[in-house]
């Protein structure tokens, strides 16, 4: 595969769409991000990285962190998480409460906010410090020993997180929170506030593309757990637009409202796109165009 040629095609197709959409202005720190930025990176399982654009500009990882938090929980052999969160697409917004009320405080999947809060709560139980565990993992897989939570983004998340608090307290009322709500939410908000570049995100995604193998060759996840995460990315990874992304792009993807998209081609590569301007569902407009072009040009779509 001539990945450099693929990237050239991606950049050409995406350029007219950079800046289309709207940044996530309900989080003050994200509202200040320049929407006219775009980066694209491919990291292959044999350690090569191909990239173009604003690939070294840090951005908030946001909901893409949910992939790695879930991986850490599953790495503990902790299947109890599936008693607390289901594995079904939601079909509603990522911060919806109605479905949660009807279904007795059990979130539909770990990639919407309720499920991710439960996962952060479980990771806190498993490790004693969910943020530190995620930091250690991301630093090792990206090769950046200084990768850190952005305190300004974390403060913005905390200050504007009323709906997430409502979600967590609702789940707590059903007995589906272990730690005190404020403590679990503190870890969740900071988890979403890690600052990462597009190139680093692609390298981190190789944990999933390698079926659970880390950069140093050690195993984080059983192959079956990695397969399950890939399935959830495909069915639940882009909020209530997962069906359209599967139809249009055909890759397992996890998005974040910071404008990042992480796609996985099992056994071959991880692909990261970053464009801060989002569609109404919360997914990067330019990033979606880039991944659609990547799938078409490379022929690596899994569907």
């Amino acid at each position: 595969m001539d990945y450099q040629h693929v990237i050239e095609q991606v950049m050409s197709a995406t350029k007219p769409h950079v800046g289309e959409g709207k940044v996530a202005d309900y989080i003050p720190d994200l509202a200040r991000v320049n929407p006219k930025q775009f980066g694209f990176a491919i990291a292959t399982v044999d350690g090569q990285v191909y990239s173009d654009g604003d690939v070294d500009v840090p951005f908030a990882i946001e909901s893409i962190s949910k992939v790695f938090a879930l991986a850490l929980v599953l790495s503990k052999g902790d299947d109890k998480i599936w008693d607390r969160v289901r594995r079904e697409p939601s079909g509603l917004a990522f911060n919806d409460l109605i479905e949660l009320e009807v279904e007795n405080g059990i979130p539909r999947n770990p990639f919407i906010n309720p499920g991710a809060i439960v996962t952060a709560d479980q990771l806190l139980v498993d490790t004693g410090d969910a943020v530190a565990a995620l930091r250690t993992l991301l630093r090792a897989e990206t090769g950046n020993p200084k990768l850190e939570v952005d305190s300004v983004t974390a403060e913005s998340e905390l200050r504007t997180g009323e709906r997430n608090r409502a979600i967590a307290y609702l789940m707590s009322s059903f007995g589906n929170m272990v730690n005190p709500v404020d403590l679990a939410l503190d870890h969740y908000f900071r988890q979403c506030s890690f600052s990462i570049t597009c190139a680093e995100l692609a390298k981190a995604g190789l944990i999933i593309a390698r079926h659970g193998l880390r950069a140093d060759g050690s195993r984080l996840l059983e192959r079956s757990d990695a397969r399950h995460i890939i399935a959830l990315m495909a069915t639940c990874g882009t909020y209530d637009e997962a069906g359209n992304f599967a139809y249009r792009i055909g890759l397992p993807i996890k998005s974040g409202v910071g404008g990042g998209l992480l796609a996985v081609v099992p056994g071959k590569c991880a692909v990261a796109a970053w464009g801060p301007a989002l569609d109404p569902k919360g997914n990067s407009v330019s990033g979606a165009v880039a991944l659609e072009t990547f799938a078409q040009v490379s022929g690596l779509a899994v569907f």
Side-chain angles (χ1 to χ4, degrees):
M1 179 70 66
D2 185 350
Y3 285 111
Q4 195 57 52
H5 172 70
V6 171
I7 284 184
E8 290 170 3
Q9 298 297 306
V10 167
M11 297 302 288
S12 176
T14 306
K15 185 177 180 180
H17 301 279
V18 173
E20 289 183 4
K22 183 180 179 183
V23 296
D25 55 5
Y26 59 90
I27 300 174
D29 190 49
L30 300 187
R32 293 188 285 270
V33 177
N34 177 8
K36 296 289 188 179
Q37 300 177 94
F38 177 76
F40 191 81
I42 303 169
T44 65
V45 294
D46 61 359
Q48 302 299 309
V49 178
Y50 305 85
S51 63
D52 202 352
D54 299 307
V55 292
D56 296 320
V57 178
F59 60 93
I61 193 170
E62 294 295 338
S63 286
I64 304 173
S65 65
K66 298 169 183 178
V67 171
F68 303 105
L70 178 61
L72 283 168
V73 168
L74 294 177
S75 75
K76 305 298 181 183
D78 197 351
D79 287 339
K80 293 190 300 294
I81 188 64
W82 302 125
D83 295 330
R84 303 182 59 193
V85 58
R86 297 191 176 97
R87 300 182 291 266
E88 295 292 338
S90 169
L92 297 174
F94 56 82
N95 58 358
D96 183 75
L97 286 95
I98 297 173
E99 197 168 60
L100 197 60
E101 169 73 26
V102 171
E103 299 186 352
N104 300 315
I106 306 296
R108 274 292 178 99
N109 66 72
F111 292 159
I112 53 176
N113 290 17
I117 292 170
V118 165
T119 303
D121 183 51
Q122 188 62 52
L123 185 57
L124 184 54
V125 171
D126 292 341
T127 65
D129 191 332
V131 172
L134 187 54
R135 180 191 295 116
T136 298
L137 178 68
L138 291 175
R139 284 181 173 180
E141 301 311 307
T142 62
N144 178 5
K146 296 182 179 180
L147 189 146
E148 188 54 272
V149 171
D150 185 298
S151 59
V152 176
T153 303
E155 193 278 331
S156 285
E157 295 271 0
L158 180 65
R159 182 156 39 93
T160 59
E162 289 88 352
R163 195 170 185 90
N164 284 320
R165 289 187 183 87
I167 287 169
Y169 277 109
L170 179 58
M171 292 191 297
S172 181
S173 74
F174 284 103
N176 199 18
M177 294 291 291
V178 178
N179 294 284
V181 165
D182 286 344
L183 178 60
L185 283 174
D186 174 64
H187 282 261
Y188 172 72
F189 289 140
R190 288 190 287 141
Q191 164 190 307
C192 291
S193 303
F194 274 100
S195 186
I196 196 166
T197 70
C198 198
E200 290 168 347
L201 181 59
K203 288 189 280 188
L206 287 173
I207 297 173
I208 310 303
R210 293 193 190 106
H211 306 288
L213 289 180
R214 298 186 59 168
D216 64 4
S218 64
R219 181 163 290 281
L220 176 72
L221 290 167
E222 294 298 323
R223 190 181 182 95
S224 60
D225 286 329
R227 178 175 65 82
H228 294 154
I229 290 175
I230 291 168
L232 286 166
M233 290 174 71
T235 57
C236 309
T238 48
Y239 310 128
D240 54 332
E241 205 173 5
N244 185 45
F245 267 67
Y247 178 88
R248 176 181 169 190
I249 299 170
L251 291 170
I253 298 170
K254 183 69 195 85
S255 63
V257 296
L261 289 167
L262 174 64
V264 169
V265 182
K268 294 188 179 294
C269 62
V271 184
W274 174 57
L278 312 176
D279 67 19
K281 303 289 188 179
N283 299 307
S284 171
V285 174
S286 56
V289 172
L291 289 177
E292 183 175 18
T293 305
F294 168 81
Q296 290 172 348
V297 174
S298 69
L300 292 176
V302 300
F303 300 125

